[in-house]
Amino acid sequence: MTSTHAVNDLYQGAIPAMLPFLMSERHYSYAAVSGLAFAASGVSSLFQPLFGLLSDRKPRTWLVPAGFITAALGVVAAGLSGNYVFTWLCVALAGIGIAAYHPPATSQARAAGGSSQKAMSVFSVGGTVGGAAAPALVTLVIGSAGFDGSYLLAAPALIMAALWAIKGPWMRWRGYTETAPLVTATSEKSAEDSTRRADDWRAFGRLVAVIIGWSIPFVTVTSLVSLHAQRDLGQSAGAGAAVLTVYTAAGAVGTLLGGWVGDRYGRMTSVRVGYLVAFPALLGIAWAPAFPVLVASAALFGAAMFLPFAAQVTLAQDYLPNRPGTASGLTLGLAMAAGGLCSPAFGWLADSSGLRAAFYALLIAFVIPVAMAMRLPDRVLDSPGPQAPDPVGAANTGSTQ
């Protein structure tokens, strides 16, 4: 599942990596490439909750390979297209494929990992690795073969689709049964169990508000931190790119660290520590009088912001145990998009009052999600874990094929 996440998010990262080539070779304007960026991220964020609802009605694990294959098809077609409207539609198709993948894949990863926060963090980092590899792959393919070689970008999806196809028979040959995805409570459960598994929409709404508050500084810092290094601290463009790379890499480390902390000390510890550490780290970014301070603060902020990531995903699914796909779609899709829509306001503030003023305003706004995160309740439910070996090699009754 981690490998499929890497492949799926590789195509998510491929779209922004293609934009500079589209501008230089097809002479698209900034407005045109902004429209393509919206077609990818905006359409994906809007469709993701819908696929979550769909996967909750009935387990549809076929959406996992269908999602990353569709994403690959959209990216390849966008590269081969010469017409802007058709390119926009192809990029939107890729966004829909990316959206189709996440809810069922997250539910299946949770089922395979059980209550382990480390397992969810590893699954999450798979997406980070795929997104980080995308610019190098796009540059290698399009930079050397041009857009006519875009069909080569389909290779990761085709390889992963083949591995997915043989996964079930291989597991049965090894004597294992595959883990079934999370399912809703049935009428056969006891009244007490049904009550315990009731959806807590109030707590889930508070978590969504926290994630929106999380995504605003995440997107804003991602957009402005390299400019902060260049314009306020007099660094080169390379130094600005370096601090952004450190920030992104620290996020991957924080995701894995959060999984370990969650398993050892409880997931609410990773949530609360993450937000409490992120606040002074953001202050360090805003205040940074020298480049090394900015780098250290950005690294600490990136790690702290992703410390609660895996915990927030599993917490959302436990708040809505009967709708794990919806929980994944709303927290990973719509909430992130809503936060991103708020970040341009800080860009306008930076234009009028400077980058430091924007970061200090961001720090004030961040107080709200930090305070709300401290009051989020935990909810422990029995989670399915990985299936034990079947000594007689029984038929796979929970096949995901």
Side-chain angles (χ1 to χ4, degrees):
M1 293 307 301
T2 300
S3 300
T4 64
H5 199 188
V7 169
N8 184 78
D9 283 19
L10 180 142
Y11 293 107
Q12 187 172 28
I15 295 170
M18 290 171 67
L19 297 182
F21 293 98
L22 290 170
M23 291 188 69
S24 62
E25 296 193 23
R26 298 183 184 171
H27 308 293
Y28 288 162
S29 65
Y30 284 111
V33 296
S34 296
L36 293 176
F38 170 78
S41 59
V43 170
S44 178
S45 297
L46 291 174
F47 272 82
Q48 200 157 298
L50 299 180
F51 282 109
L53 290 170
L54 185 65
S55 63
D56 283 337
R57 292 178 181 272
K58 179 183 179 181
R60 292 176 170 87
T61 53
W62 57 267
L63 281 174
V64 173
F68 64 72
I69 290 172
T70 302
L73 176 63
V75 168
V76 170
L80 296 175
S81 169
N83 177 272
Y84 178 78
V85 174
F86 187 71
T87 301
W88 193 97
L89 292 174
C90 292
V91 170
L93 177 66
I96 292 172
I98 292 164
Y101 168 87
H102 277 108
T106 304
S107 296
Q108 195 169 345
R110 175 71 191 279
S115 60
S116 171
Q117 303 300 302
K118 181 180 179 181
M120 183 56 70
S121 70
V122 170
F123 172 74
S124 300
V125 165
T128 303
V129 171
L137 179 63
V138 169
T139 301
L140 176 65
V141 171
I142 298 179
S144 59
F147 280 108
D148 289 340
S150 296
Y151 66 90
L152 296 172
L153 295 174
L158 295 176
I159 294 171
M160 185 52 61
L163 292 175
W164 181 273
I166 65 174
K167 176 171 64 75
W170 181 82
M171 291 184 71
R172 289 193 292 272
W173 177 72
R174 294 281 295 172
Y176 284 80
T177 56
E178 295 185 71
T179 304
L182 296 182
V183 295
T184 59
T186 66
S187 58
E188 298 177 359
K189 292 184 178 293
S190 66
E192 179 182 356
D193 187 54
S194 297
T195 300
R196 182 178 62 82
R197 288 182 56 88
D199 294 330
D200 189 347
W201 285 98
R202 182 177 181 180
F204 179 76
R206 291 166 60 184
L207 176 62
V208 168
V210 169
I211 294 175
I212 291 174
W214 175 94
S215 67
I216 293 173
F218 167 70
V219 173
T220 304
V221 171
T222 302
S223 303
L224 301 180
V225 70
S226 60
L227 293 174
H228 185 33
Q230 297 173 57
R231 297 183 181 179
D232 294 335
L233 300 179
Q235 300 297 311
S236 66
V243 72
L244 182 59
T245 300
V246 168
Y247 172 62
T248 305
V253 173
T255 303
L256 293 174
L257 181 60
W260 178 81
V261 170
D263 281 347
R264 187 172 181 86
Y265 301 105
R267 63 182 169 188
M268 298 314 296
T269 300
S270 63
V271 171
R272 290 162 184 159
V273 170
Y275 281 92
L276 286 175
V277 173
F279 188 82
L282 181 57
L283 175 61
I285 292 175
W287 166 77
F291 184 66
V293 176
L294 178 63
V295 173
S297 298
L300 183 60
F301 184 69
M305 286 291 279
F306 278 88
L307 203 68
F309 191 82
Q312 289 177 162
V313 174
T314 60
L315 195 60
Q317 292 175 335
D318 285 348
Y319 284 157
L320 302 184
N322 300 306
R323 296 173 175 82
T326 301
S328 301
L330 288 173
T331 53
L332 297 177
L334 201 58
M336 289 288 289
L341 290 174
C342 297
S343 63
F346 295 94
W348 297 329
L349 180 60
D351 286 335
S352 61
S353 304
L355 287 165
R356 290 191 188 275
F359 282 120
Y360 280 118
L362 190 65
L363 186 70
I364 295 172
F366 194 45
V367 171
I368 298 174
V370 170
M372 294 183 67
M374 298 304 105
R375 297 180 59 83
L376 283 175
D378 198 1
R379 193 181 195 196
V380 180
L381 299 174
D382 294 333
S383 298
Q387 299 289 337
D390 182 351
V392 298
N396 181 13
T397 58
S399 175
T400 59
Q401 294 299 318

